Amino acid sequence: NTVDTPTSLLLSRCNSIGRDCSDASSSRQEEELPDNALIHQCLAEIEEKHNIRIILASECSSRSIGTSHQNSDHDIAAIFVYPTDRYLSLKPVAKSFQADFPSQCNNDQQPDVQVILWESRHAFELLSNNNHTLLEVFQSPLVYRVFDLNDAKNAGLSTQRSWDRQVLDLTGLTFDRKRLARSSLSQGESNYHRFIKSKPKGNVRQKKYVHVIRKILLVEWLLNETNTSSWPPPIHMPKLLQSLQECNAHH
């Protein structure tokens, strides 16, 4: 079957961008994450201001997919809970909100920090509906906060592995691959028309291609990787490319 032009254009860039990703990833893995203190300060400020407890916070950005550079901003995704009395109140609680922490420096030495937060029940509802963003919250290799089950003896989960890893394992049994593939393809097409096709030639930032290509590669992985032990799809773009190459070699 003939592949339509937008897809061909994007796939033709995979190898070059994949090499860029690998280079960026190699340098990133040697970082000592100097912004950790900044991230923890932001999370503490959010908890105090909104009277919540963050139970999981991880990086969901170019830093987690292997395409970051020295001055990349931080995009943090977090899951939180309210105090018990908020759940017993007749007033509805916010399901999600966003907190922005612009850089206080003018020399790009301190990156911007953006935190998107989901209330725990809402987060797990989204996760049960094959939400890829929430899946990546649990996948991210850069975790800034995770609730310790040893602080809650009656949590009902084994303490041999962290609860977020156990949730990630369960998604392999609950996620509908075809449904996730359809939604990922739709997002990729939307991003292509919005951020690439509608822009003048030469005026498209490379990361916009990366976002669209990732969705295409994810769809390919979901439709072709049948080994259940390989779940979840790699979040790290070079590893996703490598996994697809191995899958194609077996076919």
Side-chain angles (χ1 to χ4, degrees), residues 221-241:
W221 191 96
L222 290 167
L223 297 180
N224 292 287
E225 179 54 79
T226 57
N227 186 356
T228 56
S229 63
S230 63
W231 182 266
I235 186 174
H236 197 251
M237 192 164 177
K239 292 181 180 179
L240 179 58
L241 285 166

Side-chain angles (χ1 to χ4, degrees), residues 129-132 176-189 215 218-219 222:
N129 287 321
N130 303 282
N131 187 288
H132 187 238
D176 184 329
R177 293 192 179 208
K178 290 185 178 180
R179 184 175 176 184
L180 179 57
R182 286 194 295 269
S183 64
S184 298
L185 181 60
S186 177
Q187 292 171 8
E189 290 177 342
K215 292 299 182 182
L218 174 61
V219 171
L222 290 167

Side-chain angles (χ1 to χ4, degrees), residues 6-18:
T7 304
S8 301
L9 170 65
L10 293 172
L11 287 176
S12 68
R13 297 178 61 88
C14 280
N15 289 332
S16 60
I17 292 182

Side-chain angles (χ1 to χ4, degrees), residues 19 21 30 44 47 49 78 153 185 188 192 214 231 233 243:
R19 287 192 294 271
C21 292
E30 297 174 0
E47 288 184 312
K49 179 179 179 180
K153 297 180 180 179
L185 181 60
Y192 170 77
R214 279 192 74 226
W231 182 266
S243 179

